[in-house]
Amino acid sequence: MTAQPMTLLTIVSETVLEDILVDEIMSLGAKGYTITDARGKGTHGTRAGRWTQGGNIRIEVVGNAVLCGRIIERLQAAYEQDYGLLMFTTPVELQN
Amino acid sequence: MTAQPMTLLTIVSETVLEDILVDEIMSLGAKGYTITDARGKGTHGTRAGRWTQGGNIRIEVVGNAVLCGRIIERLQAAYEQDYGLLMFTTPVELQN
Amino acid sequence: MTAQPMTLLTIVSETVLEDILVDEIMSLGAKGYTITDARGKGTHGTRAGRWTQGGNIRIEVVGNAVLCGRIIERLQAAYEQDYGLLMFTTPVELQN
Amino acid sequence: MHFEPVVLFFMLGVFAGLVRSDLKIPASIYEALSIFLLLAIGLQGGVKLAEFSLLELVVPALLILAVGSLIPVLVFPVLRLLGRMTRADSASIAAHYGSVSVVTFSVGVALLIQEDIDFEGYMIVFLVLLEIPALVIGVMLARFGSGHVRWGKLVHEVFFGKSILLLAGGLVIGFIAGAEGIKPLDILFFDLFKGILALFLLEMGLVAAARIAGLRSYGLFLVSFAIITPLLSGILGTVLGWMLGLSVGGTMLLATLYASASYIAAPAAMRIAVPKANPALSIGAALGITFPFNIFLGIPIYFWMAQFIHSF
Amino acid sequence: MHFEPVVLFFMLGVFAGLVRSDLKIPASIYEALSIFLLLAIGLQGGVKLAEFSLLELVVPALLILAVGSLIPVLVFPVLRLLGRMTRADSASIAAHYGSVSVVTFSVGVALLIQEDIDFEGYMIVFLVLLEIPALVIGVMLARFGSGHVRWGKLVHEVFFGKSILLLAGGLVIGFIAGAEGIKPLDILFFDLFKGILALFLLEMGLVAAARIAGLRSYGLFLVSFAIITPLLSGILGTVLGWMLGLSVGGTMLLATLYASASYIAAPAAMRIAVPKANPALSIGAALGITFPFNIFLGIPIYFWMAQFIHSF
Amino acid sequence: MHFEPVVLFFMLGVFAGLVRSDLKIPASIYEALSIFLLLAIGLQGGVKLAEFSLLELVVPALLILAVGSLIPVLVFPVLRLLGRMTRADSASIAAHYGSVSVVTFSVGVALLIQEDIDFEGYMIVFLVLLEIPALVIGVMLARFGSGHVRWGKLVHEVFFGKSILLLAGGLVIGFIAGAEGIKPLDILFFDLFKGILALFLLEMGLVAAARIAGLRSYGLFLVSFAIITPLLSGILGTVLGWMLGLSVGGTMLLATLYASASYIAAPAAMRIAVPKANPALSIGAALGITFPFNIFLGIPIYFWMAQFIHSF
Ligand SMILES: Nc1ncnc2c1ncn2[C@@H]1O[C@H](COP(=O)(O)O)[C@@H](O)[C@H]1O
Ligand SMILES: Nc1ncnc2c1ncn2[C@@H]1O[C@H](COP(=O)(O)O)[C@@H](O)[C@H]1O
Ligand SMILES: Nc1ncnc2c1ncn2[C@@H]1O[C@H](COP(=O)(O)O)[C@@H](O)[C@H]1O
Ligand code: NA
Ligand code: NA
Ligand code: NA
């Protein structure tokens, strides 16, 4: 059991962006990602997951701080203005 | 990229309370929330998400420590006794 | 409101293992768990949640460090080699 | 004994549940099946209702409601005193047994259709109406103990909860459109009805299995209660149906309504309105005991009772 | 006025939405219903298409497409200048109104079948074709403002997005298999069609309710726009249908196609291709106003217009 | 060549998958469709089984099972020695090919019905029975390499896994209720069967597309294996069916059963029981090659073989 300090980046954004965001994340060098379907409310209004409003996805990426920083920067620049987007990071111990 | 230290409050409770909890959280001053459907087990037994048992929801709120404290206090007082409820907080860096 | 420092163990693995992993976790002494359905990509390829590929589940266990360590050790030994498996821990404050 | 093959699907579900098969009806499919059943039942009732003068129905309706409201009121002290249950649990269980079960009713209707016996179509109206007083009375019974009641939320739940809304909505649509206007929908809502009821019973069996397995923990009192109550309520319904001049089929359906216990609308409403009640008790009794009792033994018995009383 | 009972389900859905009932059609069921509707419509069209010579259809098809493409072009300056909307919003709304609504079309078909009026089956081909220029024009209109457009993604979305793919796929299967080969599928795709349309309208009502409740915030301009545009487009379709020698039924369907606004394909495409557009505006107008207007008033009006113009 | 229009839906699904359309059948709908298919097939078999004396069936059943069990045993050394695959992979693939495919079988039944050719209804029993030895043998073959096997879990999976449970449950219900008792369910379980099979094939196409796209990576050996194995197994079935005196239809169905490879029950069972096997290989071969081969070419070939052998 060797625990490795890593960063967990959690991204909440619009379902419609799933393919695009996954492409961005992988092409920036992530080793993997985990997605769950979500709904929620923020500054862009309620996204209840009904079809005409669209729902949210919650993407988690475990990686080093540099990778997470790159992803954050890219998503902020490209999507924050026009789409619902929330990102936060937490330090985690990767157990592998 | 300006990271802001914040608190992430994660609440796991019964699906049947969704509307009520969301009202509480927003009226206590949260800027938003994210919900995913969940199932699980705790001191109130198994909640497998089948209709007669009900399922769980997992609510995340990113906010400052004071807001999270207010929400915790309110939910503990009003729901902990009668409903399945788990709450925990983590420090996060909000990326916005 | 008495916050208690605890460890949150997050496990991402294959849906097909759900019953088995839950049995392991509970028999190692966990008080509860929370599961959400997920999809993702890692070293074992894409698990999009379509039936022939299978999907992922995301299990969360809040417990003390010793319990989490026991679970990690057991799952690593028994499942890491043959199944998709990601585990990471975060310190949390349990609010109860 | 009159046997309706559709209950075999319930038995298959129970079997699958007891052997812990991985068979699961996805939650969204269950939702869809129940939306379908409620709408279809409502539409069927609405089409038949159009054949009656609404005015004629006012008096029997009031009587059926009044007598039906007696059930939770009578049941509560039994639970409280004989069963030594908490006020909240007694009130919640009373509400479940005062309320009605759409699937039990549907199995009754399926049996009548199979036996080619007519019934008053407007019975479906009572499927809608009986839910309401039962839930309100349940909450009132619980109230003195728990102090604070979310009345607003409850009233909303009762009148605009999906069960009532779909039943009542179907009723109104069927009434307005009439047999002619509904015809192109017949194949979905009428011809497929029994097949979909079969699938629904499969799922009911799956969830009932968990309840049946937990029977021991309920104690002898609750088990007896869950068998005797429907029988007594069924007698009440049989006698009232006969006094109101209903046909054999209508009498049997009224008995079935009174005898059935809710496991959809009531649990959701009670979880919010009477939080101190333990849902495992009320759902366990209603779904684990009363429901299978009714579809296997109760309905044939109520049928026999209806025939018997009409032979006078 | 010609009344089609299936719209009562839409009203039930709106009612449930307005009273904030907990009634919800699960997302996966909605998905399944829409896959069904698209495939069924496509199959029906394909079977009927087989009766025509494709060559004969080329000229009317090109004309119908060309005139249909005018709609977003004409609508854009109105939104921009009269409505003072941003370029992105104007372009996105123009794309929605140039595009078509499968459910509105289906309600039109249901009315014709109920009134026993024949129509050219190949009209369904235009349900597929009209989507394409509308979305492309919408993006082109938006482009000058927003700079960067994901053309690749858009073209992919337009041609291989599920709506077009299922409609076109159904069309081809129906065409190849023919009425004879499709027969064992009839009961699912044809006989159940209207029942499933009813369930779909229930869900449409639920989501439209949220939009209807938000009407005030759209302003008078958008509300008037969402009523006048379908009327004018409907007139365009009526005149063109008549000039092309279509039957009364076919003329009415062409008017309905032109008059309808997309709320499935267009929103998804525009969210990606024109991110600066506010989806609440376009969906609000298309689903909250134009859709109910069309199914309650529009379709009967287009029917009347088609009969009127054919009386000359 | 006998052509069954239902396979066009598979082609549409493959096309959608290859062009990376966003078309998706939601997982819960897929689940529901497969529950439906399994139950419906079981019911159909049960109703037909009631026409036979069970005793008469014992000998042919044992023979069909014994010969069917040969398939994984014969296939394993080929994979191990010729294909140079690991023990785990060889065992897992052997289990997949010894096991059977409900959808392939259903397409065979659909073809027979379309061609109006009778068959022994009890063939469906073997759909249930053949699964069992194949999975057990697969695990036994893998065992020597992997040491620890979850036998308990496997036996449970085999007997109470949802596929077997629904097939067997349907069989029993159909048998008990008989053609008369099942009649009100006919419209759902029999008349809609082919339409729902079409939707299922659409989804099969979607997932097969991903497998077909990955064909190159499987190597020439696996591709040839996935085409030759069903042909040889089909011959085995044809000869046995003829020797047992089955009708042309029954012979063809037995060939189809032997020739088909499982992609539902076997993958789930093998993932748990033989964790070291790479699921991409077995599912890729079974779903990406053998399944489309069977529905497009195999079934017509087995049909021709059955007719040919019966001409002697
Ligand atoms: N304070 C918050 N806490 C938790 N989730 C949030 C918060 N704010 C926004 N979200 C989530 O992020 C999505 C997009 O946020 P926004 O861009 O603010 O609309 C929302 O739909 C929520 O699911
Ligand atoms: N130790 C734990 N770790 C993770 N989740 C838990 C834990 N305890 C409880 N939960 C979740 O919280 C829900 C309610 O908990 P309880 O009130 O203990 O029944 C359960 O159904 C679980 O989903
Ligand atoms: N770097 C990562 N970040 C987030 N999730 C991951 C990561 N790597 C793997 N996962 C998740 O863990 C599952 C199993 O991982 P693996 O064993 O690497 O295939 C994947 O399907 C993902 O859902
Ligand atoms: Na009752
Ligand atoms: Na239009
Ligand atoms: Na086989």
Side-chain angles (χ1 to χ4, degrees):
Chain A
M1 183 172 128
T2 51
Q4 229 181 312
M6 282 280 187
T7 302
L8 167 67
L9 166 61
T10 304
I11 304 161
V12 181
S13 190
E14 306 189 12
T15 304
V16 81
L17 290 182
E18 176 161 338
D19 290 349
I20 296 175
L21 293 184
V22 162
D23 283 354
E24 298 268 21
I25 289 166
M26 293 310 283
S27 72
L28 287 168
K31 296 256 171 57
Y33 59 86
T34 299
I35 299 183
T36 47
D37 291 314
R39 51 192 179 278
K41 186 171 191 155
T43 50
H44 289 80
T46 304
R47 309 190 55 76
R50 299 294 286 267
W51 50 281
T52 53
Q53 287 179 323
N56 284 335
I57 47 172
R58 186 179 176 284
I59 311 179
E60 287 174 308
V61 181
V62 176
N64 61 45
V66 178
L67 169 71
C68 292
R70 261 204 316 265
I71 297 175
I72 292 165
E73 231 167 307
R74 170 71 190 142
L75 299 197
Q76 273 180 346
Y79 305 97
E80 185 155 62
Q81 209 188 335
D82 298 328
Y83 296 97
L85 180 68
L86 175 81
M87 295 187 286
F88 55 85
T89 52
T90 337
V92 298
E93 299 278 306
L94 180 62
Q95 311 285 346
N96 69 322
Chain B
M1 181 170 128
T2 51
Q4 230 181 313
M6 281 280 185
T7 301
L8 167 67
L9 166 60
T10 304
I11 304 160
V12 181
S13 190
E14 306 189 11
T15 304
V16 81
L17 290 182
E18 176 161 338
D19 291 349
I20 295 175
L21 294 183
V22 161
D23 283 354
E24 298 269 20
I25 289 166
M26 294 309 285
S27 73
L28 287 167
K31 296 257 170 57
Y33 60 84
T34 298
I35 300 183
T36 46
D37 290 314
R39 52 193 178 275
K41 186 172 190 153
T43 51
H44 289 79
T46 305
R47 309 190 54 77
R50 300 294 288 268
W51 51 280
T52 53
Q53 288 179 325
N56 285 334
I57 46 171
R58 187 180 174 283
I59 311 179
E60 287 174 308
V61 181
V62 176
N64 60 45
V66 178
L67 169 71
C68 291
R70 262 204 314 265
I71 297 176
I72 291 165
E73 233 168 305
R74 169 73 190 140
L75 300 196
Q76 273 180 345
Y79 305 97
E80 183 155 64
Q81 209 188 335
D82 298 328
Y83 295 98
L85 180 68
L86 175 81
M87 295 187 287
F88 55 84
T89 52
T90 336
V92 298
E93 298 279 306
L94 180 62
Q95 312 285 345
N96 68 322
Chain C
M1 180 172 131
T2 52
Q4 230 180 314
M6 281 280 188
T7 301
L8 167 67
L9 166 60
T10 305
I11 303 160
V12 182
S13 190
E14 307 189 11
T15 304
V16 81
L17 291 181
E18 176 161 338
D19 290 351
I20 296 175
L21 293 183
V22 162
D23 282 354
E24 298 270 20
I25 289 166
M26 294 310 285
S27 72
L28 288 168
K31 296 259 173 55
Y33 60 85
T34 298
I35 299 182
T36 47
D37 290 314
R39 52 192 178 277
K41 186 173 191 153
T43 51
H44 288 79
T46 304
R47 309 190 56 76
R50 300 294 287 265
W51 51 280
T52 53
Q53 289 179 324
N56 284 334
I57 47 172
R58 186 180 176 283
I59 311 179
E60 287 174 309
V61 182
V62 176
N64 60 46
V66 178
L67 169 71
C68 292
R70 261 204 315 265
I71 297 175
I72 291 165
E73 232 168 305
R74 169 73 190 140
L75 300 197
Q76 274 180 346
Y79 305 97
E80 184 155 63
Q81 208 187 334
D82 298 327
Y83 295 98
L85 181 67
L86 175 81
M87 295 188 285
F88 55 84
T89 52
T90 337
V92 299
E93 299 278 307
L94 180 62
Q95 311 286 346
N96 67 324
Chain D
M1 200 65 112
H2 299 273
F3 168 76
E4 164 51 74
V6 100
V7 300
L8 293 170
F9 288 84
F10 181 78
M11 293 177 71
L12 179 58
V14 170
F15 176 76
L18 292 180
V19 301
R20 306 197 60 190
S21 167
D22 63 341
L23 176 61
K24 257 184 227 165
I25 311 284
S28 57
I29 300 300
Y30 161 76
E31 277 285 322
L33 292 178
S34 75
I35 289 171
F36 172 87
L37 279 189
L38 292 163
L39 258 183
I41 282 268
L43 284 169
Q44 291 175 16
V47 168
K48 295 205 172 169
L49 194 60
E51 300 162 9
F52 293 86
S53 122
L54 289 186
L55 259 176
E56 265 173 50
L57 295 182
V58 170
V59 173
L62 288 178
L63 270 168
I64 287 175
L65 268 183
V67 174
S69 305
L70 280 180
I71 295 175
V73 174
L74 294 173
V75 145
F76 179 76
V78 173
L79 290 157
R80 196 91 176 85
L81 303 176
L82 240 74
R84 293 168 192 281
M85 294 191 157
T86 67
R87 170 178 288 276
D89 281 330
S90 307
S92 166
I93 297 176
H96 281 70
Y97 280 83
S99 191
V100 292
S101 151
V102 177
V103 181
T104 310
F105 182 80
S106 303
V107 173
V109 169
L111 182 71
L112 289 178
I113 291 174
Q114 165 152 314
E115 302 279 322
D116 216 6
I117 288 169
D118 218 34
F119 58 92
E120 288 79 6
Y122 60 76
M123 293 312 296
I124 290 162
V125 178
F126 301 113
L127 201 58
V128 181
L129 294 182
L130 281 169
E131 200 94 5
I132 297 166
L135 299 185
V136 172
I137 291 170
V139 176
M140 281 170 55
L141 289 170
R143 185 191 200 176
F144 308 100
S146 95
H148 150 93
V149 173
R150 300 176 183 277
W151 277 110
K153 190 103 179 96
L154 179 78
V155 167
H156 188 267
E157 181 93 357
V158 166
F159 284 98
F160 302 132
K162 62 185 157 208
S163 318
I164 298 288
L165 194 130
L166 286 167
L167 279 171
L171 210 62
V172 171
I173 293 179
F175 187 80
I176 296 178
E180 217 28 59
I182 287 296
K183 185 150 272 164
L185 308 175
D186 274 12
I187 192 158
L188 179 61
F189 287 113
F190 297 173
D191 299 351
L192 282 184
F193 183 76
K194 201 157 162 195
I196 295 205
L197 180 61
L199 291 178
F200 202 88
L201 282 167
L202 181 67
E203 163 70 5
M204 296 278 302
L206 281 166
V207 296
R211 302 296 168 177
I212 291 169
L215 274 197
R216 269 157 309 164
S217 60
Y218 301 146
L220 192 63
F221 169 76
L222 198 57
V223 175
S224 328
F225 172 87
I227 291 176
I228 297 171
T229 308
L231 280 174
L232 296 181
S233 306
I235 293 177
L236 204 65
T238 306
V239 173
L240 179 61
W242 176 71
M243 282 169 45
L244 289 173
L246 296 184
S247 67
V248 169
T251 304
M252 182 268 229
L253 286 182
L254 184 58
T256 303
L257 278 177
Y258 278 4
S260 72
S262 167
Y263 41 80
I264 300 183
M270 289 301 117
R271 192 77 193 103
I272 295 294
V274 188
K276 295 224 168 306
N278 177 359
L281 291 178
S282 46
I283 303 178
L287 184 60
I289 309 171
T290 302
F291 177 76
F293 170 77
N294 271 333
I295 64 169
F296 287 109
L297 297 177
I299 289 178
I301 293 175
Y302 313 141
F303 188 26
W304 174 84
M305 295 199 309
Q307 288 176 311
F308 180 76
I309 206 168
H310 275 85
S311 67
F312 290 97
Chain E
M1 201 62 111
H2 299 273
F3 168 76
E4 164 50 73
V6 99
V7 301
L8 294 170
F9 288 83
F10 180 79
M11 294 178 69
L12 178 58
V14 169
F15 176 77
L18 292 181
V19 301
R20 307 196 61 190
S21 166
D22 62 342
L23 176 62
K24 257 184 227 165
I25 311 284
S28 58
I29 300 301
Y30 161 75
E31 277 285 322
L33 293 178
S34 75
I35 289 171
F36 173 87
L37 278 189
L38 292 163
L39 259 183
I41 281 268
L43 284 169
Q44 291 175 16
V47 168
K48 293 205 173 169
L49 194 59
E51 299 162 9
F52 294 87
S53 123
L54 288 186
L55 260 175
E56 265 174 48
L57 295 182
V58 170
V59 173
L62 288 178
L63 271 169
I64 287 175
L65 269 183
V67 174
S69 303
L70 280 180
I71 296 175
V73 175
L74 293 172
V75 145
F76 179 75
V78 174
L79 289 158
R80 195 91 177 85
L81 303 176
L82 239 75
R84 291 166 194 281
M85 292 192 159
T86 68
R87 171 178 286 278
D89 280 331
S90 307
S92 166
I93 297 176
H96 281 70
Y97 279 83
S99 191
V100 293
S101 152
V102 177
V103 181
T104 311
F105 181 79
S106 301
V107 173
V109 169
L111 182 71
L112 289 178
I113 291 173
Q114 165 152 312
E115 301 280 321
D116 215 7
I117 288 171
D118 217 33
F119 59 92
E120 288 79 6
Y122 60 74
M123 294 311 297
I124 290 162
V125 178
F126 301 113
L127 200 59
V128 180
L129 295 181
L130 282 169
E131 200 94 5
I132 298 166
L135 298 185
V136 172
I137 291 171
V139 177
M140 282 169 55
L141 290 170
R143 187 193 199 173
F144 309 100
S146 94
H148 151 93
V149 173
R150 299 176 183 278
W151 278 110
K153 192 99 180 102
L154 179 78
V155 167
H156 189 268
E157 181 94 358
V158 166
F159 285 97
F160 302 132
K162 62 185 158 208
S163 319
I164 298 288
L165 195 130
L166 286 168
L167 279 171
L171 209 61
V172 171
I173 293 178
F175 187 79
I176 296 178
E180 216 29 58
I182 287 297
K183 186 150 270 163
L185 309 176
D186 274 12
I187 191 158
L188 179 61
F189 288 114
F190 296 172
D191 299 351
L192 283 183
F193 183 76
K194 202 157 163 193
I196 295 206
L197 180 61
L199 291 178
F200 202 88
L201 283 166
L202 180 67
E203 163 70 3
M204 297 277 302
L206 280 167
V207 296
R211 303 295 167 178
I212 292 170
L215 273 197
R216 268 156 310 162
S217 60
Y218 301 147
L220 192 63
F221 169 76
L222 197 57
V223 174
S224 328
F225 171 87
I227 290 175
I228 296 171
T229 308
L231 280 174
L232 296 180
S233 306
I235 292 177
L236 204 65
T238 306
V239 173
L240 179 61
W242 177 71
M243 283 169 47
L244 290 173
L246 297 183
S247 66
V248 169
T251 304
M252 182 268 229
L253 287 182
L254 185 58
T256 303
L257 278 178
Y258 277 3
S260 72
S262 168
Y263 41 80
I264 300 184
M270 290 300 119
R271 191 78 193 102
I272 295 293
V274 188
K276 297 225 168 304
N278 176 0
L281 291 178
S282 46
I283 303 178
L287 185 60
I289 309 172
T290 302
F291 177 75
F293 170 76
N294 271 333
I295 65 169
F296 287 109
L297 297 176
I299 289 178
I301 293 175
Y302 313 141
F303 188 27
W304 173 84
M305 294 199 310
Q307 288 177 311
F308 180 77
I309 205 169
H310 274 85
S311 68
F312 290 98
Chain F
M1 200 65 110
H2 299 272
F3 169 76
E4 164 51 74
V6 100
V7 300
L8 293 170
F9 288 84
F10 181 77
M11 294 178 69
L12 178 58
V14 170
F15 176 77
L18 292 180
V19 301
R20 308 196 59 191
S21 165
D22 62 341
L23 176 62
K24 256 183 229 166
I25 311 284
S28 58
I29 299 301
Y30 162 75
E31 277 284 322
L33 293 178
S34 75
I35 289 171
F36 173 87
L37 278 189
L38 292 163
L39 259 185
I41 282 269
L43 284 169
Q44 291 175 15
V47 168
K48 294 204 173 171
L49 194 59
E51 301 161 10
F52 294 88
S53 122
L54 289 185
L55 259 175
E56 264 173 50
L57 295 182
V58 171
V59 174
L62 288 178
L63 271 169
I64 287 174
L65 268 183
V67 175
S69 304
L70 281 180
I71 295 175
V73 175
L74 293 173
V75 144
F76 178 75
V78 173
L79 290 157
R80 195 89 176 87
L81 303 176
L82 239 76
R84 293 167 192 279
M85 293 194 159
T86 68
R87 171 178 288 277
D89 281 330
S90 307
S92 165
I93 297 176
H96 281 70
Y97 280 83
S99 190
V100 293
S101 151
V102 177
V103 180
T104 311
F105 181 80
S106 302
V107 173
V109 169
L111 182 70
L112 289 179
I113 291 173
Q114 164 152 315
E115 302 279 322
D116 215 6
I117 288 170
D118 218 33
F119 58 93
E120 288 79 6
Y122 60 75
M123 294 310 296
I124 290 161
V125 178
F126 302 113
L127 200 60
V128 181
L129 295 182
L130 281 168
E131 200 95 5
I132 296 166
L135 298 185
V136 173
I137 291 170
V139 177
M140 282 169 56
L141 290 170
R143 188 194 198 175
F144 308 101
S146 94
H148 150 94
V149 174
R150 301 177 181 276
W151 278 109
K153 190 100 179 101
L154 179 78
V155 167
H156 188 267
E157 181 94 357
V158 167
F159 285 97
F160 302 132
K162 62 185 158 208
S163 318
I164 298 287
L165 194 131
L166 286 168
L167 279 171
L171 209 61
V172 171
I173 293 179
F175 187 80
I176 297 178
E180 215 29 58
I182 288 297
K183 185 150 270 164
L185 308 175
D186 274 13
I187 192 159
L188 179 61
F189 287 114
F190 297 172
D191 299 350
L192 282 183
F193 183 76
K194 202 157 162 194
I196 295 206
L197 181 61
L199 291 178
F200 202 87
L201 282 167
L202 181 67
E203 163 70 4
M204 297 277 302
L206 281 167
V207 296
R211 302 296 168 177
I212 291 170
L215 274 197
R216 269 157 308 163
S217 59
Y218 301 148
L220 191 63
F221 169 76
L222 197 56
V223 175
S224 330
F225 172 87
I227 290 175
I228 296 171
T229 307
L231 280 175
L232 296 180
S233 306
I235 293 177
L236 203 65
T238 306
V239 173
L240 179 60
W242 177 70
M243 282 168 46
L244 290 173
L246 296 183
S247 66
V248 169
T251 304
M252 182 268 228
L253 287 183
L254 184 58
T256 303
L257 277 178
Y258 278 3
S260 71
S262 168
Y263 41 81
I264 300 184
M270 290 300 118
R271 192 77 192 104
I272 294 294
V274 189
K276 296 227 168 306
N278 177 359
L281 291 177
S282 46
I283 303 177
L287 185 60
I289 309 172
T290 302
F291 177 75
F293 170 77
N294 270 333
I295 65 169
F296 287 110
L297 297 177
I299 288 178
I301 292 174
Y302 312 141
F303 189 26
W304 173 85
M305 295 198 308
Q307 288 177 311
F308 180 76
I309 206 169
H310 274 85
S311 68
F312 291 97

